[in-house]
Amino acid sequence: MDTNARRRRAHKTIIDTCSELYSHDVSLYEEIPRTEIQLAEFQELAVDRVQLLRIVEQSSLKGYKFFSDEWKKCIKDDLIKNNLKKYVRLMSGLCGHTELDIQARRADHISHYILRLAYCRSEDLRRWFLARELDWFRIKFAAQSSSAIQNFLKLNTLNYTPISHECKEGLKDQLTESTMGLTDVMVTTSDFYKVPFLDVLPLIRSRKVFLKEGYAYIPTADLVVCIQSKFRSKLSEALNQINHKLPLLDDERLSDLCNLHQTYTGQEYVVGNNKNSINPADIDQFSSKHYPLCMRHLHEVLRTNHHLKHNARLIYGLYLKGIGLQYEQFIEFWRQEFTKVMDGEKFNKEHLYNFNHQFGKVGKMTDYSPYSCMKIIMGNVGPGESHGCPFKHSEPAVLKSKLNEYGVSTDGLTEIMSLVKNGHYQIACTKYFEHVHLQPPTITINHPNQYFEESRNLSIDKDKSLRI
C-alpha cells in the first residue's frame, strides 16, 4: 500500500444508483458494499479512515470532556488540518442529499468495511477498532435532529418510539429526578423512549435513568446508548467471523492491510520539502532545544561513543536529512564523528555507502523519508541498541530520570508516566513537548521531524516577538 505522500488522487467516484444505501449520515454498516472501486481509491479510503480514528483517539486524550463541544471542535479542527473534510460533513447533522453528501457517506461506509479486514486479525486490533468506531458512531448520532433520528430508526427498523405526552406528564417528577442534566422545562420539551432495561445497562450502572417494571425511560440524547449496544454486539461478532474466514482469502492486494495500523498518515519530511537548511555547527544546540526525546538520545549516544549501530544510524541519519542537513554536510558530519574512533579508510569502506544510500545516491537511488513515530514505536530494539521510542522501550526509572534531567516538572512527570503506563506513547511525547516548551504543539506529535519543526517555529516566533 503506497502511503508515503498524502497526495489526493483524482478518483472518478461512482455514486451508486441505489442511493438509499447512503441516505443518512449515521449508519450501522449492515449492508456489505457491492461497488467496484480502483485499488488506489481502496488504499486512500483505508488510510483516511485510520487517520480519522486516530484523530478521535488523540482528541480523547487531550483533557477535553468526552463528547463536549470543545472535544468535538478539537476533532473537527484536526480533520480539517488533515484534509478530511468529508468526515467533518458527517459531523454536521445535516443529512443532506447533494453529491458531496452522498460521496462522504459512501466513503464512510466503504472505508469502515475495509478496516474490518485490517483490524479483525488480533484481539488488540479488534478492541482498538471497536472502541474508536463506537466513538465515531456516537459523534455522528449526537449531531442529528429529532426528525433525523426518527428517520434513522425507521431506516434501520429499530422499534423505538417516543412515549405519549400523557405518559410523560404522569412521570414528569420521576423523570426530572432520575435523568441527569434535565430540568422540568427540558423534560417537557424532550422526547422520551421506553426501552428494555437490559439495553441501557451503562445508564443503570451510573444511576442516570428512571426504571419502572423492567423498562427504562430515556431522553433522545441517551437513545444512542441502546443503539451503540446493538452496534457493538454486531460489529464484534462480524470481526470474529471475518478473522476466521481470512485464511480462505487469497488476494495479494489485501496483504498490505496487515500493517495498516502501523501506517504513517502525516506529512513526509524529506529535504525537498524543507526549505530551510541547517548549519552542522548548530546541531548540538538544536538537540537540547528542538529534538524529541528519541533523537536527543541518539545524538547524545553518538557524541559519547562516536558511533551508532545500523538501525540507529539509519533512523538518526534520515532524521538529520529531514530537518535540513544537506548532502555534503551530512557526509562530513558522520565522517568527523566516526573518525574519532576509526581511520578515514575504514569509514569509507564500511560506512560511506550506507550514508550515501540514505540520500539516494547509490543502490536504487531512492529518496528515503525519515521514520515516523509509529514506525519507531513498532520496531524491534535488541540488547545494546540505542534506537527506539524512549516512552515505549526505556525502563520507567530510566525514563523518569531522563525527563527530570531535561527539566520536566513533578506534575509533568506524573502525567507523562501515566500516559506511558497506558500505552499512549505519542500522547506522552506531545505532553513532553508541552512541558518543556510551556505550550502544546499545534497537533499531536506523530513524527520526530514534526516535533523539530514545531519546536523550531515556536522559537523563531518568540525571537520575532522580542525584536518587535
Side-chain angles (χ1 to χ4, degrees), residues 408-423:
V408 177
S409 66
T410 302
D411 290 343
L413 279 173
T414 302
E415 186 176 19
I416 291 171
M417 296 308 296
S418 175
L419 290 166
V420 169
K421 184 179 179 180
N422 290 302

Side-chain angles (χ1 to χ4, degrees), residues 12 41 44 57 70 106 138 191 204-205 322 416 425 435 446 464:
K12 186 178 179 181
E41 185 186 6
E44 185 176 296
E57 177 187 37
E70 294 80 9
R106 174 184 177 276
R138 186 161 182 170
D191 286 334
I204 294 172
R205 190 160 42 244
I416 291 171
Y425 308 118
H435 283 286
N446 54 38
K464 288 180 179 177

Side-chain angles (χ1 to χ4, degrees), residues 307 313 342 345-354:
H307 188 271
R313 288 199 302 271
M342 65 182 69
E345 184 178 348
K346 183 176 182 179
F347 173 83
N348 290 338
K349 183 178 180 182
E350 297 184 5
H351 299 294
L352 184 58
Y353 181 90
N354 175 262

Side-chain angles (χ1 to χ4, degrees), residues 236-356:
S236 180
E237 182 181 355
L239 290 171
N240 283 315
Q241 289 178 352
I242 297 170
N243 185 46
H244 290 137
K245 294 178 180 178
L246 210 54
L248 302 177
L249 291 176
D250 184 20
D251 193 328
E252 63 179 14
R253 293 173 299 177
L254 302 179
S255 60
D256 286 329
L257 290 176
C258 297
N259 300 315
L260 188 60
H261 192 58
Q262 302 177 25
T263 299
Y264 174 61
T265 54
Q267 175 187 341
E268 291 295 338
Y269 292 87
V270 295
V271 171
N273 293 337
N274 194 330
K275 298 178 182 178
N276 300 313
S277 61
I278 66 168
N279 188 335
D282 294 330
I283 289 180
D284 287 332
Q285 181 185 6
F286 285 167
S287 171
S288 61
K289 289 181 63 177
H290 305 310
Y291 275 25
L293 208 58
C294 54
M295 297 304 156
R296 186 171 182 178
H297 175 67
L298 288 179
H299 182 76
E300 289 175 352
V301 172
L302 176 63
R303 288 304 199 202
T304 300
N305 300 333
H306 313 299
H307 188 271
L308 289 173
K309 292 188 176 182
H310 174 75
N311 286 327
R313 288 199 302 271
L314 178 60
I315 292 171
Y316 189 44
L318 292 176
Y319 170 80
L320 288 171
K321 172 185 168 186
I323 66 173
L325 194 59
Q326 301 300 307
Y327 170 69
E328 293 79 8
Q329 297 171 324
F330 177 87
I331 296 298
E332 187 59 26
F333 170 81
W334 288 104
R335 185 189 303 277
Q336 287 184 5
E337 200 61 47
F338 273 44
T339 52
K340 292 177 181 178
V341 292
M342 65 182 69
D343 59 36
E345 184 178 348
K346 183 176 182 179
F347 173 83
N348 290 338
K349 183 178 180 182
E350 297 184 5
H351 299 294
L352 184 58
Y353 181 90
N354 175 262
F355 293 123
N356 279 323

